[in-house]
Amino acid sequence: NAGVTQTPKFRILKIGQSMTLQCTQDMNHNYMYWYRQDPGMGLKLIYYSVGAGITDKGEVPNGYNVSRSTTEDFPLRLELAAPSQTSVYFCASSLTGFNQPQHFGDGTRLSIL
Amino acid sequence: RKEVEQDPGPFNVPEGATVAFNCTYSNSASQSFFWYRQDCRKEPKLLMSVYSSGNEDGRFTAQLNRASQYISLLIRDSKLSDSATYLCVVILNTGNQFYFGTGTSLTVIP
């Protein structure tokens, strides 16, 4: 199993551009999460999903959108990129609930210039 | 008050030392707990779950103190490879809320 795979690993965007961060998992996990982590800071939950077709906002959803059309995929969309969205983005998954360990992808480093 | 609090450190300890970190939580309805480690510029990885009776995995011991509302992580015989940031996670018994701590930084010095 590959676990949680994120693409791309690095990206530089110009202000106002849009992009989609891809996340896929092959563990048949129901729950998936998107976090951002700014330098020297903790993880902040952007969005999460408890299953295909179901998504919900986390702590910092503004400026982002998600979809969950399949169990495997949970893409994160940035519309109108802003410098404040420069961060490292982590996708994670857990089997059937929040009370289970989360498996993380190795992150996408995004810079908005 | 924050839901979860950790001393950010840094903790600088010599090789072979024993070091302990605490993670305090504010909600008594907290039910499940985990410790993760995060290496510099890497993703968090599960280190261990924290059970009510305490649990040990090699040099690592995790304990829960419900009365004082904290969990702890003890590392014995520290290795250079233990240098990382250690994150705690607290999950409420409602099952639909969880909180990551901001992490404690450990550097093991030769």
Side-chain angles (χ1 to χ4, degrees):
Chain A
N1 287 351
V4 179
T5 303
Q6 292 183 236
T7 56
K9 295 194 184 314
F10 305 93
R11 184 72 183 269
I12 298 174
L13 283 182
K14 293 182 179 179
I15 295 172
Q17 286 185 320
S18 301
M19 78 163 293
T20 299
L21 281 64
Q22 302 291 346
C23 176
T24 187
Q25 52 91 11
D26 62 359
M27 298 175 285
N28 204 30
H29 283 181
N30 288 326
Y31 282 57
M32 295 187 74
Y33 316 82
W34 274 106
Y35 297 90
R36 61 176 287 173
Q37 187 175 37
D38 298 329
M41 305 295 285
L43 296 165
K44 293 188 183 296
L45 183 65
I46 304 171
Y47 270 96
Y48 66 94
S49 169
V50 302
I54 306 170
T55 63
D56 210 343
K57 295 178 180 179
E59 181 184 0
V60 290
N62 291 345
Y64 306 95
N65 279 299
V66 293
S67 60
R68 185 95 182 270
S69 57
T70 67
T71 299
E72 293 79 18
D73 299 307
F74 190 41
L76 177 72
R77 177 85 177 160
L78 277 72
E79 304 282 1
L80 298 175
S84 61
Q85 293 177 304
T86 294
S87 191
V88 180
Y89 291 83
F90 289 107
C91 179
S93 70
S94 62
L95 184 56
T96 57
F98 296 128
N99 60 350
Q100 296 182 335
Q102 293 184 27
H103 300 257
F104 285 80
D106 53 11
T108 295
R109 284 160 180 75
L110 181 63
S111 294
I112 316 294
L113 303 176
Chain B
R1 184 180 174 185
K2 290 183 180 179
E3 294 286 344
V4 177
E5 294 199 67
Q6 293 185 255
D7 181 345
F11 285 66
N12 299 317
V13 301
E15 269 187 293
T18 296
V19 62
F21 315 128
N22 286 344
C23 167
T24 59
Y25 58 93
S26 61
N27 194 323
S28 60
S30 300
Q31 180 185 46
S32 304
F33 310 88
F34 299 99
W35 283 104
Y36 287 75
R37 73 170 275 166
Q38 185 175 23
D39 295 307
C40 186
R41 299 177 66 81
K42 298 285 190 179
E43 74 275 20
K45 293 184 178 179
L46 179 70
L47 181 64
M48 57 199 304
S49 304
V50 185
Y51 303 127
S52 296
S53 55
N55 48 302
E56 189 173 306
D57 183 3
R59 297 181 294 108
F60 298 84
T61 300
Q63 292 193 313
L64 167 63
N65 185 319
R66 286 199 183 274
S68 300
Q69 295 188 190
Y70 72 89
I71 61 173
S72 63
L73 178 68
L74 180 78
I75 306 175
R76 289 180 298 276
D77 189 22
S78 298
K79 311 292 185 190
L80 297 177
S81 58
D82 294 333
S83 298
T85 297
Y86 291 84
L87 309 172
C88 64
V89 183
V90 173
I91 299 97
L92 300 189
N93 63 5
T94 55
N96 62 357
Q97 286 179 286
F98 66 97
Y99 303 95
F100 271 90
T102 53
T104 297
S105 175
L106 170 67
T107 300
V108 180
I109 304 165

